[in-house]
Amino acid sequence: MTVGNTTTQRPDDATSTGAAVEIDQVAVRFRTKKKDVTALRDVSLRIEPGEFVSIVGASGCGKSTLLKLVSGLLRPSSGQVRLHGEDVRGPRRDIGYVFQRAALLEWRTARRNILLQAEMRRLPKAQVRQRVDELIEMTGLTGFEDAYPNELSGGMQQRVALCRALLHRPPVLLMDEPFGALDALTREQMNVELRRIWRETGTTVLLVTHSIAEAVYLANRVIVMTPRPGTVAEVIDVDLPVERDYGQTMSEPAFARATGRIRDLLGATTTAE
Amino acid sequence: MAAQSTIEHRESSAPARTPAPAARRRAGAGASLLRFARSTWRPAAVLAAIFVVWWAVTAADLVKPYLVPSPGTTLDVVLAQTGYFAHHTWITSYETILGFAIAIVVGVVSAVVMVYSPTVEKSLYPLLLFAQVIPKIAIAPLFIVWLGFGLTPKVVVAVLMAFFPIVISTVTGLKSIDPEMLQLSATMGAGPGQTFTKIRFPAALPHLFAGLKVAATMAVTGAVVGEFVGANEGLGYVILQANGNLDTPTLFAGLLIMSLLGVVLFVAVELLEYLVLPWHASRRTDAATTSL
Ligand SMILES: Nc1ncnc2c1ncn2[C@@H]1O[C@H](COP(=O)(O)OP(=O)(O)OP(=O)(O)O)[C@@H](O)[C@H]1O
Ligand SMILES: [Mg+2]
């Protein structure tokens, strides 16, 4: 029952097919007028379909950059990124992306914000309507379908963003600090919901977070990154049952071991976190 | 299980936390008009006060009637020649509205092109600035020479006056889009057209309307400037004629109608804004006060 699987890289299979996400020796350098910034260096990862992977690391270590690479919003300076075995060359539409801020259109109601996904993808209306109702119910937004974003609480706005990201049943869901702006209680509740949604949908999830508890509670594996230039410090296998009650999980020894290890790693590599 | 039940608890308490149900704020055009009426009564009252002062000053004989005619005299002048004033008001309105409409189309289109093509922007911007800083009254005679004595040169001057604020505000609006929104759009597989119509343009509308309001008043000024330089009809012509004849009541009537024209156009744009952008932040404050 060891918690920390202290390999920086999973031993890749000879055949690299079958993985949901593969990142191979990737480096990202940003060239600005003043100086060059190496955001990521030598990052290699392999994420299996249906996995829930959390990413933690100091601010500015390249977590958002990593998600942008996977979604194709950003090209690596070197190395390769593959999604379902396919090279990522431009923005990918077979993903769902949840940004740190809900990024809702303020002139659209909750429902119509969710429907934006369908409109952009030109999905048939009739089929989508039922799916939206399901998602609204699943995320507890019932009764607020016709509210505008400014009439919704922060947690509700994030739920709308989550529904929008799930509408087209993406095989891969990328979430960049989606609950960062929420109060502790709402955040815990969103965690429980996200865990349930993940189990119901079987989506591969990559979640960036600053909360160690959130990272461990939700994930099968936690990727701990070093400060800039970011690389993978350690990948931690979370040894918790699939069925995770929130309160009970917090008091599990395996939970304490995992969070402790992550805290050590982050503490050892950063001055204050 | 325990956490599951807290969620349900929270959801059931959520409606109480939300101030205004969506249905009330979005009651449709009716509610928008009501809020609009509420926001306009104050300026209307100020305007009425100015008229009262004007009336009081002339009634008390503080100034000579040939310098400042009374409101009554001015109104009599208009009523005595309704056909005359209606015709010239129509001419100026026509030039103004046509100029304004052309300015909107040309302004918005050039703003869009400039935002999407930095090359066009760099080459067009100095030209725009030049067109803006050159005094319209100084080039208006040139337009008369080029385009004749008819309505066209007046419309052109109106376009030139109204165009600039529209371009500037639209460019600002289109550029102020949150880059994350554009990235979101890309992950949805949206093409540039869809991104523009569903995200970028609607997001720019509040800026665009701010520009339109300035432009509306500029268009009136433009049309009248065009008429000053050379015309045989329109309110500018009426004012010039009256001035030449020292006919201050007619002069005042012309001035008033002209100002009214500007106000009507401005209010029309504002009304449209209330109808098109009920969601905009500047509308929310009075939505909250209505429940007090
Ligand atoms: N477009 C860009 N141009 C230049 N530098 C950039 C750009 N995007 C990111 N960077 C730099 O790359 C580094 C990593 O950025 P990134 O946003 O991925 O960090 P992060 O881990 O998500 O941080 P945080 O936790 O604060 O969100 C930062 O130092 C940042 O300054
Ligand atoms: Mg980030």
Side-chain angles (χ1 to χ4, degrees), chain A residues 78-136:
Chain A
S78 64
Q80 276 192 316
V81 179
R82 278 185 295 273
L83 202 60
H84 305 295
E86 238 177 86
D87 270 345
V88 174
R89 297 185 177 281
R92 295 287 297 225
R93 34 179 307 177
D94 50 351
I95 54 157
Y97 209 124
V98 183
F99 293 89
Q100 182 165 357
R101 292 173 311 102
L104 300 178
L105 301 177
E106 56 174 333
W107 57 90
R108 283 177 171 242
T109 61
R111 175 187 289 277
R112 293 198 58 238
N113 259 293
I114 300 170
L115 280 171
L116 183 71
Q117 184 79 263
E119 289 170 25
M120 293 301 202
R121 290 168 188 275
R122 302 181 204 282
L123 301 176
K125 278 238 166 62
Q127 170 198 325
V128 162
R129 197 171 299 133
Q130 198 194 340
R131 171 84 179 141
V132 174
D133 290 336
E134 274 170 32
L135 285 168
I136 285 175

Short mmCIF file of all heavy atoms in Angstrom, two decimals, chain A residues 78-136:
data_model
loop_
_atom_site.label_atom_id
_atom_site.label_comp_id
_atom_site.label_asym_id
_atom_site.label_seq_id
_atom_site.Cartn_x
_atom_site.Cartn_y
_atom_site.Cartn_z
N SER A 78 8.98 22.30 -28.71
CA SER A 78 9.54 21.03 -29.17
C SER A 78 8.77 19.91 -28.49
O SER A 78 8.06 20.13 -27.51
CB SER A 78 11.03 20.95 -28.83
OG SER A 78 11.20 20.95 -27.42
N GLY A 79 8.90 18.71 -29.03
CA GLY A 79 8.18 17.57 -28.48
C GLY A 79 6.84 17.39 -29.17
O GLY A 79 6.51 18.13 -30.10
N GLN A 80 6.09 16.40 -28.68
CA GLN A 80 4.84 16.05 -29.34
C GLN A 80 3.70 15.90 -28.36
O GLN A 80 3.90 15.45 -27.23
CB GLN A 80 5.02 14.72 -30.07
CG GLN A 80 5.63 14.90 -31.45
CD GLN A 80 5.51 13.62 -32.24
OE1 GLN A 80 5.77 12.54 -31.71
NE2 GLN A 80 5.13 13.74 -33.50
N VAL A 81 2.53 16.28 -28.81
CA VAL A 81 1.31 16.08 -28.02
C VAL A 81 0.34 15.29 -28.87
O VAL A 81 0.10 15.63 -30.02
CB VAL A 81 0.67 17.44 -27.64
CG1 VAL A 81 -0.60 17.22 -26.82
CG2 VAL A 81 1.65 18.31 -26.86
N ARG A 82 -0.18 14.21 -28.29
CA ARG A 82 -1.15 13.40 -29.04
C ARG A 82 -2.43 13.24 -28.22
O ARG A 82 -2.38 13.08 -27.01
CB ARG A 82 -0.55 12.03 -29.36
CG ARG A 82 0.34 12.02 -30.60
CD ARG A 82 0.81 10.62 -30.93
NE ARG A 82 1.68 10.09 -29.89
CZ ARG A 82 3.00 10.29 -29.85
NH1 ARG A 82 3.60 11.01 -30.78
NH2 ARG A 82 3.70 9.78 -28.86
N LEU A 83 -3.55 13.33 -28.95
CA LEU A 83 -4.84 13.14 -28.32
C LEU A 83 -5.45 11.93 -29.03
O LEU A 83 -5.62 11.94 -30.24
CB LEU A 83 -5.69 14.40 -28.56
CG LEU A 83 -6.84 14.69 -27.63
CD1 LEU A 83 -6.37 14.86 -26.19
CD2 LEU A 83 -7.55 15.96 -28.08
N HIS A 84 -5.74 10.87 -28.30
CA HIS A 84 -6.25 9.63 -28.88
C HIS A 84 -5.36 9.17 -30.03
O HIS A 84 -5.84 8.78 -31.09
CB HIS A 84 -7.68 9.82 -29.39
CG HIS A 84 -8.60 10.33 -28.34
ND1 HIS A 84 -8.91 9.60 -27.22
CD2 HIS A 84 -9.24 11.52 -28.19
CE1 HIS A 84 -9.71 10.31 -26.45
NE2 HIS A 84 -9.90 11.48 -27.00
N GLY A 85 -4.07 9.26 -29.81
CA GLY A 85 -3.11 8.78 -30.79
C GLY A 85 -2.89 9.70 -31.97
O GLY A 85 -2.08 9.43 -32.84
N GLU A 86 -3.62 10.82 -32.00
CA GLU A 86 -3.51 11.74 -33.14
C GLU A 86 -2.67 12.94 -32.74
O GLU A 86 -2.87 13.51 -31.66
CB GLU A 86 -4.91 12.26 -33.47
CG GLU A 86 -5.38 12.00 -34.86
CD GLU A 86 -6.80 12.53 -34.99
OE1 GLU A 86 -6.94 13.73 -35.28
OE2 GLU A 86 -7.76 11.75 -34.77
N ASP A 87 -1.76 13.36 -33.62
CA ASP A 87 -0.97 14.55 -33.32
C ASP A 87 -1.87 15.78 -33.19
O ASP A 87 -2.74 15.99 -34.04
CB ASP A 87 0.03 14.81 -34.46
CG ASP A 87 1.35 14.10 -34.19
OD1 ASP A 87 1.56 13.68 -33.03
OD2 ASP A 87 2.14 13.96 -35.13
N VAL A 88 -1.65 16.57 -32.15
CA VAL A 88 -2.43 17.80 -31.98
C VAL A 88 -1.76 18.90 -32.79
O VAL A 88 -0.62 19.27 -32.52
CB VAL A 88 -2.51 18.18 -30.49
CG1 VAL A 88 -3.20 19.53 -30.32
CG2 VAL A 88 -3.24 17.11 -29.70
N ARG A 89 -2.48 19.41 -33.79
CA ARG A 89 -1.87 20.43 -34.66
C ARG A 89 -2.53 21.80 -34.51
O ARG A 89 -1.90 22.82 -34.64
CB ARG A 89 -1.95 19.99 -36.12
CG ARG A 89 -1.14 18.71 -36.35
CD ARG A 89 -1.11 18.32 -37.82
NE ARG A 89 -0.28 17.14 -37.98
CZ ARG A 89 1.05 17.17 -38.00
NH1 ARG A 89 1.66 18.34 -37.90
NH2 ARG A 89 1.74 16.07 -38.13
N GLY A 90 -3.82 21.79 -34.27
CA GLY A 90 -4.54 23.06 -34.08
C GLY A 90 -5.56 22.87 -32.99
O GLY A 90 -5.58 21.82 -32.36
N PRO A 91 -6.41 23.89 -32.74
CA PRO A 91 -7.44 23.74 -31.70
C PRO A 91 -8.28 22.48 -31.93
O PRO A 91 -8.74 22.23 -33.04
CB PRO A 91 -8.29 25.01 -31.89
CG PRO A 91 -7.38 25.98 -32.52
CD PRO A 91 -6.43 25.20 -33.38
N ARG A 92 -8.43 21.70 -30.87
CA ARG A 92 -9.18 20.45 -31.00
C ARG A 92 -10.60 20.67 -30.56
O ARG A 92 -10.85 21.33 -29.55
CB ARG A 92 -8.53 19.38 -30.12
CG ARG A 92 -7.14 19.00 -30.57
CD ARG A 92 -7.18 18.17 -31.81
NE ARG A 92 -7.85 16.91 -31.59
CZ ARG A 92 -7.38 15.74 -32.03
NH1 ARG A 92 -6.24 15.67 -32.70
NH2 ARG A 92 -8.05 14.64 -31.81
N ARG A 93 -11.54 20.09 -31.31
CA ARG A 93 -12.93 20.25 -30.91
C ARG A 93 -13.46 19.03 -30.17
O ARG A 93 -14.59 19.03 -29.71
CB ARG A 93 -13.81 20.62 -32.09
CG ARG A 93 -13.42 20.02 -33.43
CD ARG A 93 -14.36 20.44 -34.49
NE ARG A 93 -15.73 20.15 -34.07
CZ ARG A 93 -16.80 20.45 -34.77
NH1 ARG A 93 -16.67 21.08 -35.89
NH2 ARG A 93 -18.00 20.14 -34.34
N ASP A 94 -12.65 17.97 -30.06
CA ASP A 94 -13.12 16.79 -29.34
C ASP A 94 -12.74 16.85 -27.86
O ASP A 94 -12.35 15.85 -27.26
CB ASP A 94 -12.59 15.51 -29.98
CG ASP A 94 -11.09 15.55 -30.22
OD1 ASP A 94 -10.50 16.64 -30.04
OD2 ASP A 94 -10.50 14.51 -30.55
N ILE A 95 -12.81 18.06 -27.30
CA ILE A 95 -12.54 18.24 -25.89
C ILE A 95 -13.59 19.17 -25.29
O ILE A 95 -14.32 19.82 -26.02
CB ILE A 95 -11.16 18.91 -25.65
CG1 ILE A 95 -11.07 20.21 -26.45
CG2 ILE A 95 -10.02 17.98 -25.99
CD1 ILE A 95 -10.09 21.18 -25.90
N GLY A 96 -13.66 19.19 -23.97
CA GLY A 96 -14.46 20.19 -23.28
C GLY A 96 -13.49 20.99 -22.42
O GLY A 96 -12.60 20.42 -21.82
N TYR A 97 -13.63 22.32 -22.43
CA TYR A 97 -12.66 23.16 -21.70
C TYR A 97 -13.42 24.01 -20.70
O TYR A 97 -14.37 24.70 -21.05
CB TYR A 97 -11.93 24.06 -22.70
CG TYR A 97 -10.52 24.44 -22.31
CD1 TYR A 97 -9.44 24.18 -23.15
CD2 TYR A 97 -10.25 25.08 -21.10
CE1 TYR A 97 -8.15 24.52 -22.81
CE2 TYR A 97 -8.97 25.43 -20.75
CZ TYR A 97 -7.91 25.14 -21.61
OH TYR A 97 -6.64 25.49 -21.26
N VAL A 98 -13.01 23.95 -19.45
CA VAL A 98 -13.60 24.83 -18.43
C VAL A 98 -12.50 25.76 -17.95
O VAL A 98 -11.47 25.32 -17.45
CB VAL A 98 -14.16 24.03 -17.23
CG1 VAL A 98 -14.83 24.98 -16.23
CG2 VAL A 98 -15.15 22.97 -17.70
N PHE A 99 -12.73 27.05 -18.14
CA PHE A 99 -11.72 28.04 -17.76
C PHE A 99 -11.86 28.43 -16.30
O PHE A 99 -12.88 28.18 -15.67
CB PHE A 99 -11.84 29.27 -18.65
CG PHE A 99 -11.48 29.01 -20.08
CD1 PHE A 99 -12.45 28.59 -20.98
CD2 PHE A 99 -10.19 29.16 -20.52
CE1 PHE A 99 -12.12 28.33 -22.31
CE2 PHE A 99 -9.85 28.91 -21.83
CZ PHE A 99 -10.82 28.49 -22.73
N GLN A 100 -10.82 29.10 -15.81
CA GLN A 100 -10.81 29.51 -14.41
C GLN A 100 -12.01 30.40 -14.09
O GLN A 100 -12.73 30.18 -13.13
CB GLN A 100 -9.51 30.23 -14.09
CG GLN A 100 -9.40 30.64 -12.63
CD GLN A 100 -8.00 31.02 -12.25
OE1 GLN A 100 -7.08 30.95 -13.06
NE2 GLN A 100 -7.81 31.43 -11.02
N ARG A 101 -12.21 31.41 -14.94
CA ARG A 101 -13.43 32.19 -14.80
C ARG A 101 -14.46 31.50 -15.67
O ARG A 101 -14.12 30.88 -16.67
CB ARG A 101 -13.19 33.63 -15.26
CG ARG A 101 -12.23 34.37 -14.29
CD ARG A 101 -11.83 35.72 -14.80
NE ARG A 101 -11.37 35.67 -16.18
CZ ARG A 101 -12.13 36.03 -17.20
NH1 ARG A 101 -13.33 36.51 -17.01
NH2 ARG A 101 -11.65 35.94 -18.41
N ALA A 102 -15.72 31.61 -15.31
CA ALA A 102 -16.74 30.82 -15.99
C ALA A 102 -16.79 31.11 -17.49
O ALA A 102 -17.15 30.26 -18.28
CB ALA A 102 -18.10 31.06 -15.36
N ALA A 103 -16.38 32.34 -17.88
CA ALA A 103 -16.37 32.74 -19.29
C ALA A 103 -17.74 32.52 -19.93
O ALA A 103 -17.87 31.85 -20.95
CB ALA A 103 -15.27 32.02 -20.07
N LEU A 104 -18.77 33.09 -19.31
CA LEU A 104 -20.12 33.00 -19.88
C LEU A 104 -20.41 34.27 -20.67
O LEU A 104 -19.86 35.32 -20.39
CB LEU A 104 -21.15 32.83 -18.76
CG LEU A 104 -20.98 31.61 -17.86
CD1 LEU A 104 -22.05 31.60 -16.77
CD2 LEU A 104 -21.04 30.32 -18.67
N LEU A 105 -21.31 34.15 -21.64
CA LEU A 105 -21.75 35.31 -22.39
C LEU A 105 -22.86 35.97 -21.60
O LEU A 105 -23.89 35.34 -21.34
CB LEU A 105 -22.24 34.90 -23.78
CG LEU A 105 -21.20 34.18 -24.63
CD1 LEU A 105 -21.81 33.75 -25.96
CD2 LEU A 105 -19.98 35.05 -24.88
N GLU A 106 -22.66 37.21 -21.21
CA GLU A 106 -23.60 37.82 -20.26
C GLU A 106 -24.94 38.17 -20.89
O GLU A 106 -25.88 38.48 -20.17
CB GLU A 106 -22.98 39.03 -19.55
CG GLU A 106 -22.47 40.10 -20.46
CD GLU A 106 -22.02 41.33 -19.69
OE1 GLU A 106 -22.52 41.57 -18.59
OE2 GLU A 106 -21.16 42.06 -20.21
N TRP A 107 -25.04 38.11 -22.21
CA TRP A 107 -26.34 38.41 -22.83
C TRP A 107 -27.14 37.13 -23.09
O TRP A 107 -28.21 37.18 -23.68
CB TRP A 107 -26.13 39.18 -24.14
CG TRP A 107 -25.26 38.50 -25.13
CD1 TRP A 107 -25.65 37.63 -26.11
CD2 TRP A 107 -23.85 38.64 -25.27
NE1 TRP A 107 -24.57 37.21 -26.83
CE2 TRP A 107 -23.45 37.81 -26.35
CE3 TRP A 107 -22.88 39.37 -24.59
CZ2 TRP A 107 -22.11 37.71 -26.74
CZ3 TRP A 107 -21.56 39.26 -24.99
CH2 TRP A 107 -21.18 38.44 -26.05
N ARG A 108 -26.61 36.01 -22.65
CA ARG A 108 -27.34 34.76 -22.83
C ARG A 108 -27.74 34.19 -21.48
O ARG A 108 -26.97 34.26 -20.54
CB ARG A 108 -26.45 33.74 -23.56
CG ARG A 108 -26.34 34.00 -25.04
CD ARG A 108 -25.40 33.00 -25.67
NE ARG A 108 -25.43 33.09 -27.11
CZ ARG A 108 -25.81 32.09 -27.91
NH1 ARG A 108 -26.14 30.92 -27.41
NH2 ARG A 108 -25.83 32.26 -29.22
N THR A 109 -28.91 33.57 -21.45
CA THR A 109 -29.35 32.91 -20.23
C THR A 109 -28.49 31.66 -20.00
O THR A 109 -27.72 31.27 -20.88
CB THR A 109 -30.81 32.47 -20.36
OG1 THR A 109 -30.89 31.54 -21.45
CG2 THR A 109 -31.73 33.64 -20.62
N ALA A 110 -28.63 31.07 -18.82
CA ALA A 110 -27.86 29.87 -18.50
C ALA A 110 -28.03 28.83 -19.60
O ALA A 110 -27.06 28.30 -20.14
CB ALA A 110 -28.31 29.31 -17.16
N ARG A 111 -29.29 28.57 -19.95
CA ARG A 111 -29.55 27.55 -20.96
C ARG A 111 -28.90 27.90 -22.29
O ARG A 111 -28.26 27.07 -22.93
CB ARG A 111 -31.06 27.36 -21.15
CG ARG A 111 -31.42 26.40 -22.27
CD ARG A 111 -32.92 26.38 -22.52
NE ARG A 111 -33.61 25.73 -21.44
CZ ARG A 111 -33.75 24.41 -21.35
NH1 ARG A 111 -33.24 23.62 -22.28
NH2 ARG A 111 -34.38 23.88 -20.35
N ARG A 112 -29.04 29.15 -22.68
CA ARG A 112 -28.50 29.52 -24.00
C ARG A 112 -26.98 29.59 -23.98
O ARG A 112 -26.34 29.43 -25.01
CB ARG A 112 -29.13 30.83 -24.48
CG ARG A 112 -30.63 30.66 -24.76
CD ARG A 112 -31.20 31.75 -25.64
NE ARG A 112 -30.51 31.82 -26.92
CZ ARG A 112 -29.91 32.91 -27.37
NH1 ARG A 112 -29.90 34.00 -26.65
NH2 ARG A 112 -29.31 32.90 -28.54
N ASN A 113 -26.40 29.81 -22.81
CA ASN A 113 -24.94 29.71 -22.71
C ASN A 113 -24.49 28.28 -22.94
O ASN A 113 -23.49 28.03 -23.60
CB ASN A 113 -24.47 30.19 -21.34
CG ASN A 113 -23.93 31.61 -21.40
OD1 ASN A 113 -22.90 31.85 -22.01
ND2 ASN A 113 -24.64 32.54 -20.79
N ILE A 114 -25.24 27.34 -22.38
CA ILE A 114 -24.90 25.92 -22.59
C ILE A 114 -25.08 25.57 -24.06
O ILE A 114 -24.26 24.88 -24.66
CB ILE A 114 -25.79 25.03 -21.69
CG1 ILE A 114 -25.57 25.38 -20.22
CG2 ILE A 114 -25.50 23.57 -21.95
CD1 ILE A 114 -26.56 24.74 -19.27
N LEU A 115 -26.15 26.12 -24.64
CA LEU A 115 -26.47 25.81 -26.04
C LEU A 115 -25.45 26.37 -27.03
O LEU A 115 -25.40 25.94 -28.17
CB LEU A 115 -27.86 26.32 -26.38
CG LEU A 115 -29.01 25.42 -25.91
CD1 LEU A 115 -30.34 26.12 -26.10
CD2 LEU A 115 -29.00 24.10 -26.69
N LEU A 116 -24.65 27.34 -26.58
CA LEU A 116 -23.63 27.91 -27.47
C LEU A 116 -22.77 26.78 -28.06
O LEU A 116 -22.44 26.79 -29.25
CB LEU A 116 -22.75 28.88 -26.69
CG LEU A 116 -21.69 29.60 -27.51
CD1 LEU A 116 -22.33 30.62 -28.44
CD2 LEU A 116 -20.67 30.30 -26.62
N GLN A 117 -22.43 25.83 -27.21
CA GLN A 117 -21.64 24.68 -27.64
C GLN A 117 -22.31 23.98 -28.83
O GLN A 117 -21.65 23.65 -29.82
CB GLN A 117 -21.52 23.71 -26.46
CG GLN A 117 -20.67 22.51 -26.68
CD GLN A 117 -19.20 22.81 -26.58
OE1 GLN A 117 -18.53 23.02 -27.58
NE2 GLN A 117 -18.67 22.87 -25.37
N ALA A 118 -23.62 23.77 -28.73
CA ALA A 118 -24.37 23.07 -29.79
C ALA A 118 -24.45 23.92 -31.05
O ALA A 118 -24.31 23.42 -32.16
CB ALA A 118 -25.76 22.73 -29.29
N GLU A 119 -24.65 25.25 -30.85
CA GLU A 119 -24.76 26.14 -32.01
C GLU A 119 -23.46 26.17 -32.80
O GLU A 119 -23.45 26.10 -34.02
CB GLU A 119 -25.13 27.55 -31.55
CG GLU A 119 -26.56 27.64 -31.06
CD GLU A 119 -26.84 28.99 -30.38
OE1 GLU A 119 -26.14 29.98 -30.70
OE2 GLU A 119 -27.75 29.03 -29.53
N MET A 120 -22.35 26.28 -32.07
CA MET A 120 -21.06 26.34 -32.75
C MET A 120 -20.77 25.04 -33.50
O MET A 120 -20.17 25.05 -34.56
CB MET A 120 -19.96 26.60 -31.73
CG MET A 120 -20.01 27.98 -31.07
SD MET A 120 -19.92 29.34 -32.21
CE MET A 120 -19.35 30.65 -31.15
N ARG A 121 -21.21 23.95 -32.90
CA ARG A 121 -20.95 22.65 -33.52
C ARG A 121 -22.05 22.23 -34.48
O ARG A 121 -21.98 21.15 -35.08
CB ARG A 121 -20.82 21.58 -32.44
CG ARG A 121 -19.57 21.72 -31.62
CD ARG A 121 -19.58 20.86 -30.39
NE ARG A 121 -18.44 21.17 -29.56
CZ ARG A 121 -17.23 20.65 -29.73
NH1 ARG A 121 -17.03 19.75 -30.67
NH2 ARG A 121 -16.23 21.01 -28.96
N ARG A 122 -23.07 23.07 -34.60
CA ARG A 122 -24.22 22.78 -35.45
C ARG A 122 -24.80 21.40 -35.15
O ARG A 122 -25.03 20.58 -36.04
CB ARG A 122 -23.83 22.87 -36.92
CG ARG A 122 -23.27 24.23 -37.30
CD ARG A 122 -22.94 24.27 -38.78
NE ARG A 122 -21.93 25.27 -39.09
CZ ARG A 122 -22.18 26.58 -39.18
NH1 ARG A 122 -23.39 27.03 -39.01
NH2 ARG A 122 -21.21 27.42 -39.46
N LEU A 123 -25.04 21.13 -33.88
CA LEU A 123 -25.66 19.86 -33.48
C LEU A 123 -27.17 19.98 -33.68
O LEU A 123 -27.72 21.06 -33.52
CB LEU A 123 -25.36 19.56 -32.01
CG LEU A 123 -23.89 19.45 -31.62
CD1 LEU A 123 -23.75 19.25 -30.11
CD2 LEU A 123 -23.22 18.31 -32.36
N PRO A 124 -27.83 18.88 -34.04
CA PRO A 124 -29.29 18.94 -34.24
C PRO A 124 -30.01 19.39 -32.97
O PRO A 124 -29.75 18.87 -31.88
CB PRO A 124 -29.66 17.50 -34.61
CG PRO A 124 -28.47 16.67 -34.31
CD PRO A 124 -27.28 17.56 -34.34
N LYS A 125 -30.94 20.32 -33.15
CA LYS A 125 -31.61 20.97 -32.02
C LYS A 125 -32.36 20.01 -31.11
O LYS A 125 -32.22 20.05 -29.89
CB LYS A 125 -32.62 22.01 -32.56
CG LYS A 125 -31.98 23.33 -32.93
CD LYS A 125 -32.61 24.47 -32.15
CE LYS A 125 -31.76 25.72 -32.25
NZ LYS A 125 -31.65 26.21 -33.64
N ALA A 126 -33.17 19.16 -31.72
CA ALA A 126 -34.07 18.29 -30.95
C ALA A 126 -33.27 17.39 -30.00
O ALA A 126 -33.59 17.26 -28.82
CB ALA A 126 -34.89 17.43 -31.90
N GLN A 127 -32.20 16.85 -30.53
CA GLN A 127 -31.37 15.92 -29.76
C GLN A 127 -30.69 16.65 -28.61
O GLN A 127 -30.53 16.10 -27.52
CB GLN A 127 -30.35 15.33 -30.74
CG GLN A 127 -29.24 14.53 -30.10
CD GLN A 127 -28.07 14.38 -31.06
OE1 GLN A 127 -28.27 14.27 -32.27
NE2 GLN A 127 -26.86 14.40 -30.56
N VAL A 128 -30.32 17.90 -28.87
CA VAL A 128 -29.57 18.66 -27.88
C VAL A 128 -30.45 19.10 -26.71
O VAL A 128 -30.02 19.12 -25.57
CB VAL A 128 -28.92 19.88 -28.56
CG1 VAL A 128 -28.52 20.91 -27.54
CG2 VAL A 128 -27.73 19.42 -29.37
N ARG A 129 -31.71 19.42 -27.02
CA ARG A 129 -32.60 19.95 -25.98
C ARG A 129 -32.69 19.01 -24.79
O ARG A 129 -32.59 19.44 -23.63
CB ARG A 129 -33.99 20.19 -26.58
CG ARG A 129 -34.84 21.10 -25.71
CD ARG A 129 -36.12 21.51 -26.41
NE ARG A 129 -35.85 22.26 -27.63
CZ ARG A 129 -36.45 22.02 -28.80
NH1 ARG A 129 -37.34 21.07 -28.90
NH2 ARG A 129 -36.17 22.75 -29.85
N GLN A 130 -32.84 17.74 -25.08
CA GLN A 130 -32.97 16.75 -24.01
C GLN A 130 -31.67 16.65 -23.21
O GLN A 130 -31.68 16.58 -21.98
CB GLN A 130 -33.31 15.40 -24.63
CG GLN A 130 -33.89 14.42 -23.63
CD GLN A 130 -33.90 13.02 -24.19
OE1 GLN A 130 -33.83 12.82 -25.41
NE2 GLN A 130 -33.96 12.04 -23.31
N ARG A 131 -30.56 16.70 -23.92
CA ARG A 131 -29.25 16.62 -23.29
C ARG A 131 -29.04 17.81 -22.33
O ARG A 131 -28.53 17.64 -21.23
CB ARG A 131 -28.18 16.60 -24.38
CG ARG A 131 -26.76 16.73 -23.92
CD ARG A 131 -26.17 15.42 -23.49
NE ARG A 131 -24.78 15.57 -23.08
CZ ARG A 131 -24.25 14.93 -22.06
NH1 ARG A 131 -24.98 14.11 -21.34
NH2 ARG A 131 -22.98 15.11 -21.75
N VAL A 132 -29.47 18.99 -22.75
CA VAL A 132 -29.33 20.18 -21.90
C VAL A 132 -30.15 20.00 -20.62
O VAL A 132 -29.67 20.28 -19.53
CB VAL A 132 -29.77 21.46 -22.65
CG1 VAL A 132 -29.76 22.65 -21.73
CG2 VAL A 132 -28.84 21.71 -23.82
N ASP A 133 -31.37 19.51 -20.79
CA ASP A 133 -32.22 19.28 -19.61
C ASP A 133 -31.54 18.31 -18.64
O ASP A 133 -31.52 18.54 -17.44
CB ASP A 133 -33.58 18.73 -20.04
CG ASP A 133 -34.42 19.79 -20.74
OD1 ASP A 133 -34.16 20.98 -20.49
OD2 ASP A 133 -35.31 19.43 -21.53
N GLU A 134 -30.98 17.25 -19.18
CA GLU A 134 -30.27 16.26 -18.34
C GLU A 134 -29.16 16.93 -17.55
O GLU A 134 -29.03 16.75 -16.35
CB GLU A 134 -29.62 15.19 -19.23
CG GLU A 134 -30.50 14.03 -19.61
CD GLU A 134 -29.81 13.18 -20.69
OE1 GLU A 134 -28.54 13.10 -20.68
OE2 GLU A 134 -30.52 12.63 -21.52
N LEU A 135 -28.34 17.71 -18.28
CA LEU A 135 -27.18 18.34 -17.64
C LEU A 135 -27.60 19.34 -16.57
O LEU A 135 -27.01 19.40 -15.49
CB LEU A 135 -26.31 19.04 -18.69
CG LEU A 135 -25.47 18.12 -19.57
CD1 LEU A 135 -24.89 18.89 -20.74
CD2 LEU A 135 -24.34 17.50 -18.76
N ILE A 136 -28.65 20.10 -16.87
CA ILE A 136 -29.14 21.10 -15.92
C ILE A 136 -29.60 20.39 -14.65
O ILE A 136 -29.30 20.83 -13.53
CB ILE A 136 -30.28 21.93 -16.55
CG1 ILE A 136 -29.68 22.93 -17.54
CG2 ILE A 136 -31.09 22.65 -15.49
CD1 ILE A 136 -30.67 23.73 -18.32
#
